[in-house]
Amino acid sequence: MASVQHWTGREARALRSALRMSTRAFADHLGVALRTVSKWEKLSDATQPRPDTQAILDTALARADAAVHARFETMRSGAGQHTGTHARYETWSEDIDRVIVSLSHQNFTFASSLLNRWLGPADPHGLDDKGLYLYGRSLVLLGDLHRDQGAVLGPLSARQSYAAAHRLFTALDIPRRTAQIELSLAVVAEMSGRLEASARQYEQLADDERLSLRDRARARLWIGTALSKEGEHEHAARVMTVAIRAFEDLGEPEEWSVAHQKLALSYRGSGALSKAVRCIGIARQSGAVDSPMQRVRLDTAHGHILLSDPATRNDGLTVLDHAARLATQYGLSHQLRSIEGIRRRYDGPSGALSR
């Protein structure tokens, strides 16, 4: 039967792998905190469990059956190095899934801590292709985090993270991932005010076979958003309508709803308020708004449309105030700047629109 004289994070990780448990299941099995197991996984030989935890690990190993002991010894030997790496990559993949969920709820602090767990200590030059793939996915998610927080340019920004991930997936020769990052870089260009350049990028990607039909439809929709921001509202509406039909054909109700929200703003810009009201009504009734980001975007669009009609101006200000509070609560600085920009266009006691 296997035994351990002195436990480190490496032996603890070997025991978890031998038991074929996830990090959470292993923590529950031992009765320790998940963060304790995560620390062992991350620091390996560089960390040693406390004396009482050493005793817990001794007990867990002693109670394991012979097959677990055999796997444990293999993990500790040089022959177990590959399996240990596989277990580490499995944990990394699990954390990536957790980051995706955290970002969908704008839990930026937790998502950042998970990403830094892997991007901080990892040296991409020492990783195999699987490790590089996970490193690239983590960089993309870091870019998404920065983008959602409004940090699109600069040394610690969405653009920098996306560019690094693009180089990595190009080297790995994974065209789909590379094209998806190019789509994200076009979004960054639009957010930073490079509307003509972003529209050109969207137009190229809308017919790019490296992308899925859904992503190509999204690129076409975003051509319309860039055109609308440049004041080409009628052209934008035509392009967005094509995207809406594509989402309907693909059975993408969420994207279909978001597209109506964007089409409503385009109609508002062209002065077609009745069409704008109809489209924002469709978006509000058909879309799932459990994400704080989407709630802010939908309220911002709704408030902007209401402000465009003197009869509903006060309602529009109320809706925008609610959107601003939510954006502040979740650290959505880009959306907050958009709301403030809309408010600044209305000045004077009558709330007249500044031209």
Side-chain angles (χ1 to χ4, degrees):
M1 302 292 284
S3 63
V4 177
Q5 291 297 110
H6 193 80
W7 291 87
T8 69
R10 182 172 68 86
E11 285 82 17
R13 184 173 64 190
L15 178 58
R16 179 186 70 78
S17 298
L19 288 166
R20 293 177 175 169
M21 291 181 176
S22 68
T23 53
R24 184 175 297 278
F26 188 52
D28 291 342
H29 180 68
L30 298 179
V32 300
L34 176 60
R35 64 177 178 273
T36 299
V37 176
S38 299
K39 178 182 177 183
W40 297 340
E41 299 279 328
K42 177 180 177 181
L43 298 180
S44 190
D45 289 329
T47 186
Q48 299 177 357
R50 297 180 307 180
D52 57 335
T53 309
Q54 297 253 348
I56 293 172
L57 289 164
D58 285 337
T59 301
L61 179 59
R63 290 177 176 174
D65 60 29
V68 171
H69 279 258
R71 289 195 296 268
F72 177 70
E73 288 292 3
T74 301
M75 302 289 178
R76 295 173 70 190
S77 69
Q81 183 176 0
H82 174 74
T83 308
T85 300
H86 177 76
R88 180 170 178 268
Y89 287 168
E90 182 181 341
T91 303
W92 196 344
S93 297
E94 290 173 356
D95 277 353
I96 284 175
D97 291 339
R98 295 163 73 194
V99 169
I100 292 171
V101 173
S102 297
L103 288 180
S104 71
H105 294 93
Q106 284 70 64
N107 188 348
F108 298 131
T109 300
F110 184 57
S112 180
S113 68
L114 289 175
L115 290 172
N116 288 331
R117 174 184 300 175
W118 299 103
L119 293 175
D123 177 9
H125 297 95
L127 297 173
D128 59 18
D129 283 355
K130 175 63 174 178
L132 288 172
Y133 177 82
L134 294 172
Y135 193 88
R137 286 203 65 195
S138 298
L139 283 173
V140 170
L141 290 170
L142 183 63
D144 293 345
L145 186 152
H146 288 317
R147 182 198 62 203
D148 289 351
Q149 288 183 310
V152 294
L153 299 175
L156 296 174
S157 66
R159 188 179 187 281
Q160 183 190 50
S161 296
Y162 288 145
H166 188 270
R167 291 191 296 269
L168 196 153
F169 282 118
T170 300
L172 288 174
D173 192 23
I174 306 178
R176 182 175 64 90
R177 291 288 182 186
T178 305
Q180 287 174 336
I181 297 168
E182 289 168 11
L183 190 55
S184 294
L185 284 167
V187 173
V188 167
E190 181 188 338
M191 290 176 68
S192 60
R194 296 172 55 233
L195 301 177
E196 185 176 347
S198 64
R200 286 198 304 269
Q201 289 174 286
Y202 290 144
E203 191 167 5
Q204 292 172 357
L205 291 166
D207 296 316
D208 195 321
E209 294 187 355
R210 294 175 300 168
L211 291 171
S212 67
L213 292 175
R214 173 178 174 268
D215 280 337
R216 278 182 263 174
R218 293 173 79 198
R220 192 163 302 283
L221 174 66
W222 294 340
I223 295 170
T225 63
L227 290 172
S228 187
K229 288 179 181 179
E230 286 192 296
E232 300 182 37
H233 301 296
E234 293 183 3
H235 185 188
R238 290 195 296 271
V239 173
M240 289 179 183
T241 301
V242 173
I244 286 173
R245 286 199 295 268
F247 289 132
E248 187 169 352
D249 292 341
L250 291 169
E252 292 282 354
E254 297 285 336
E255 300 287 356
W256 185 83
S257 174
V258 169
H260 274 89
Q261 171 192 316
K262 294 182 181 297
L263 180 59
L265 288 174
S266 185
Y267 281 139
R268 188 216 67 83
S270 65
L273 287 184
S274 61
K275 290 183 178 180
V277 170
R278 180 178 62 83
C279 285
I280 200 65
I282 292 173
R284 294 178 68 207
Q285 292 170 12
S286 62
V289 289
D290 54 342
S291 160
M293 174 79 78
Q294 183 54 19
R295 288 205 300 273
V296 169
R297 287 173 173 167
L298 189 57
D299 282 351
T300 301
H302 186 208
H304 198 178
I305 291 166
L306 291 173
L307 278 175
S308 302
D309 185 343
T312 57
R313 185 169 56 240
N314 289 336
D315 291 337
L317 292 173
T318 300
V319 173
L320 280 183
D321 285 344
H322 178 266
R325 287 194 297 271
L326 196 60
T328 301
Q329 178 183 348
Y330 285 93
L332 305 175
S333 59
H334 181 75
Q335 280 66 39
L336 188 58
R337 287 195 294 270
S338 296
I339 294 167
E340 291 170 347
I342 294 169
R343 291 293 301 265
R344 282 196 297 270
R345 297 184 65 201
Y346 293 80
D347 58 6
S350 64
L353 179 62
S354 300
R355 295 294 183 184

